[in-house]
Amino acid sequence: MRAARLIKMVLLLQSRPTMTAAELARELEVSERTVTRDAQALSEAGVPVYADRGRAGGYRLVGGYRTRLTGLARSEAEALFLSGVPGALREMGLEDAASAARLKVSAALLPSLRDAPDTAAQRFHLDAPAWFREPETPALLPVLAEAVWDDRRVTARYRREDREVERRLEPYGLVLKAGTWYLCARVAGSGAFRTYRIDRFGTVDPLGERFDRAPDFDLPGFWADQAERFARSILRAEVVVRLSPDGVRRLPHAVDPLAAREALDGVGPPDTGGWVTVTLPVESEEVAHTQLTALGPEAEVLAPARLRERFAADAARTAALYRRPDG
């Protein structure tokens, strides 16, 4: 375990000019005293770790020291080649750069691990787009990708419903969700972060100026927060439903997962037949009708009355279709 920690410490110091003992302790999940002992052990083993004293001090590697990727296990090497998304890289205009990087990593691996790219590719494949529609690459994606990499401001025209607006943006990151590309950007001058569908940009013009990224911006965290806010924003109505045990199991597959989670988190004890009553957030009664129809006889709508009457009418029509003819 200590050997793996020492390797990680060297790799961390290779990736940054200087790291404080507190930063290393946080990354390695150890105490600062352990960091001091590990740095001494690396130094005694011939790794040139140097400690700068004082308030602005920290640990750094001297002499341009680099370690080769000869310590990778097979599972680690294979996982490394799963980290890229070939289709996404191609759409962003980064396919050649990614190919060159894979070649360099392959050359640095031990001979016994050089088949890792092939073994990983034959076992796992990521198909990001959704079913039943052809994905379209937004024409302006490569321009925005370059601006993201360069931390370069852009002026963009963006379609919002029936009008087009112009924004001066600081592009922070790109997200590919079910075949659709999104840009996470900060509006220059306001400090507000927004999410934009890239296929709705009319024009994107890179500016000659760069921006300083907010050091605490976390793209995965920002996207998760935005996705949850959007999901909550469209759940404007409520439906009271009785669910059988099978209905409870199937609910997350029939409705929005966030809505199902909120409904089931507040569920009371089941009745003698195992049924429970939940209050389900929904987008609208129309959407609820479509979604809950998939549960069939495993769900009984109690309210609102108009929706209950609609399900009752559906049940009567279905029963009539399957009723045996008289005689």
Side-chain angles (χ1 to χ4, degrees):
M1 182 176 180
R2 189 190 186 199
R5 190 175 71 241
L6 292 174
I7 293 173
K8 184 176 180 180
M9 184 174 180
V10 172
L11 294 174
L12 285 169
L13 292 174
Q14 280 186 187
S15 65
R16 307 178 196 179
T18 303
M19 292 187 70
T20 66
E23 290 171 335
L24 284 167
R26 186 165 55 251
E27 291 282 354
L28 299 172
E29 298 181 349
V30 295
S31 67
E32 293 186 30
R33 181 174 296 181
T34 299
V35 168
T36 302
R37 288 198 297 264
D38 286 352
Q40 183 177 352
L42 286 171
S43 181
E44 291 173 354
V47 178
V49 178
Y50 181 78
D52 291 311
R53 305 297 179 185
R55 174 175 292 184
Y59 292 92
R60 60 186 175 89
L61 294 174
V62 297
Y65 180 85
R66 309 293 295 176
T67 183
R68 290 173 60 84
L69 297 176
T70 52
L72 287 176
R74 169 164 292 278
S75 60
E76 295 170 327
E78 290 174 343
L80 178 64
F81 286 95
L82 287 174
S83 61
V85 184
L89 292 170
R90 181 173 59 253
E91 292 178 7
M92 288 189 292
L94 298 173
E95 185 177 26
D96 291 342
S99 177
R102 284 193 293 269
L103 287 173
K104 290 177 181 179
V105 172
S106 296
L109 293 173
L110 289 171
S112 60
L113 299 180
R114 298 230 171 114
D115 64 339
D118 296 329
T119 58
Q122 293 305 317
R123 287 166 173 77
F124 300 98
H125 174 68
L126 176 61
D127 184 11
W131 288 98
F132 310 123
R133 66 184 176 91
E134 288 293 327
E136 294 184 3
T137 303
L140 295 172
L141 176 61
V143 177
L144 286 167
E146 186 173 353
V148 168
W149 283 114
D150 289 345
D151 295 336
R152 191 178 298 276
R153 290 190 178 96
V154 302
T155 299
R157 297 194 66 83
Y158 186 75
R159 296 189 302 277
R160 286 190 180 279
E161 299 176 353
D162 59 345
R163 63 192 178 95
E164 193 173 64
V165 297
E166 184 171 292
R167 293 286 184 267
R168 195 157 163 263
L169 301 175
E170 297 175 349
Y172 265 66
L174 298 168
V175 175
L176 177 60
K177 171 70 172 178
T180 301
W181 283 96
Y182 296 87
L183 173 72
C184 300
R186 183 167 61 183
V187 180
S190 74
F193 285 92
R194 297 285 186 267
T195 302
Y196 303 88
R197 273 186 62 143
I198 292 181
D199 58 7
R200 293 182 183 170
F201 281 108
T203 61
V204 174
D205 297 313
L207 302 175
E209 58 199 53
R210 287 186 166 86
F211 62 91
D212 295 324
R213 294 177 66 91
D216 57 348
F217 179 79
D218 172 43
L219 180 60
F222 173 77
W223 176 258
D225 182 61
Q226 291 292 298
E228 183 167 336
R229 286 187 183 183
F230 174 75
R232 290 183 185 278
S233 71
I234 63 174
L235 300 175
R236 303 185 182 95
E238 289 185 343
V239 176
V240 181
V241 191
R242 285 184 72 237
L243 297 169
S244 71
D246 191 42
V248 170
R249 287 191 293 271
R250 291 165 52 186
L251 185 67
H253 305 288
V255 304
D256 181 87
L258 174 65
R261 186 167 64 248
E262 289 191 358
L264 296 176
D265 282 348
V267 70
D271 61 19
T272 55
W275 288 61
V276 296
T277 300
V278 301
T279 300
L280 177 70
V282 294
E283 184 175 345
S284 65
E285 289 186 21
E286 186 64 35
V287 171
H289 178 262
T290 301
Q291 293 175 333
L292 295 176
T293 295
L295 297 181
E298 308 305 326
E300 178 192 1
V301 173
L302 302 180
R306 183 173 54 185
L307 185 60
R308 177 178 174 84
E309 291 168 2
R310 187 171 177 182
F311 272 99
D314 289 346
R317 290 174 57 200
T318 302
L321 289 175
Y322 288 94
R323 187 177 298 121
R324 290 175 179 269
D326 293 338

